[in-house]
Amino acid sequence: MERAFQTVSRLGVLGGTFDPPHNGHFSIAAEVASAKNLDRVLFVPAAQPWQKSQYSPAEDRFTMTVLGARCDPRFAVSRIELDRKGPTYTVETLLALGELCGPKVEFFFILGVDAAKGLTTWYRADDLARSAGFLAVTRPGFDASDLKLPTGGPPVEVVEVSPVDVSSTQIRAAVREGRSIDHLVPAEVADYISTRGLYATDAPHL
Ligand code: NAP
């Protein structure tokens, strides 16, 4: 990790459940990297997203993220949350990455506006501000001036990106109903979902 990021001074971190990762995730990562002069964007799949009750196996979500992240040389994927035991807390991830990369690397956590509204509910919310800057990307149809963040969370900068109207929920439903997802995810991710039979039934995707 340290060697891979030796020349990095501004590192974006895109944490997610990535169930599955889709074109929206890769598009916002690329646009934020360009807009905010980030040297790299590190995708960090959550092992146990503690605010969710159902999700696919972490190794499947990690592999899909690796396959999709091949689209841009600025992207990398971390196992840091998979290799840590217990529920996934972003503050612990950011502090651990800070230790690994050293003080010369500045961190920017990228998240959607919906996630940003919930920042005060995150574990050790008070410590989030000292672990990274927070960049909230807009969603299709969202007016940035409408974003009302609860007080007490870290400062959040809104970054306007091109709208990509896709969600992981929509993709899981499409697969279950036998509809094509080719326009929603990278081809290698679609192949992986098909080969592994992910999201094919109504059964909980645990
Ligand atoms: P996700 O569904 O996989 O999405 C990842 C991020 O991409 C989210 O911030 C989401 O924003 C954004 N996004 C997805 N599709 C988008 C689109 N089409 N346009 C713009 N933005 C889009 O991941 P998640 O389950 O929300 O989790 C996000 C991160 O927050 C994870 O790293 C998780 O561990 C972390 N988290 C931490 C805590 C804690 O530490 N206590 C609690 C909750 C979450 P939206 O939110 O707007 O969908």
Side-chain angles (χ1 to χ4, degrees), residues 51-149:
Q51 292 188 339
K52 296 196 171 174
S53 55
Q54 293 181 357
Y55 39 85
S56 303
E59 290 296 342
D60 282 325
R61 294 183 287 106
F62 173 78
T63 303
M64 290 189 282
T65 310
V66 169
L67 292 171
R70 289 180 182 160
C71 62
D72 190 315
R74 294 171 297 182
F75 295 169
V77 186
S78 171
R79 289 189 61 88
I80 191 166
E81 293 189 344
L82 272 67
D83 295 340
R84 195 169 68 219
K85 298 252 180 302
T88 303
Y89 297 126
T90 300
V91 69
E92 292 180 349
T93 301
L94 291 169
L95 294 174
L97 286 172
E99 295 271 308
L100 277 170
C101 297
K104 288 186 181 154
V105 181
E106 200 177 350
F107 290 89
F108 298 88
F109 193 82
I110 303 164
L111 73 178
V113 284
D114 290 338
K117 286 179 201 158
L119 274 171
T120 50
T121 70
W122 290 20
Y123 181 66
R124 287 173 59 191
D126 294 348
D127 292 329
L128 284 169
R130 67 182 179 89
S131 61
F134 284 79
L135 303 174
V137 297
T138 50
R139 282 276 199 172
F142 181 83
D143 180 349
S145 60
D146 281 349
L147 180 59
K148 291 186 184 57
L149 292 168

Side-chain angles (χ1 to χ4, degrees), residues 17-22 25 52 54-56 61 64 166-181 184-185 193 197-206:
T17 305
F18 302 132
D19 197 14
H22 54 64
H25 294 125
K52 296 196 171 174
Q54 293 181 357
Y55 39 85
S56 303
R61 294 183 287 106
M64 290 189 282
V166 51
S167 71
S168 299
T169 307
Q170 171 195 353
I171 293 165
R172 294 194 300 269
V175 174
R176 203 166 51 240
E177 292 159 17
R179 289 182 280 119
S180 170
I181 56 166
L184 303 175
V185 297
I193 290 171
L198 297 176
Y199 318 124
T201 68
D202 230 351
H205 51 286
L206 292 172

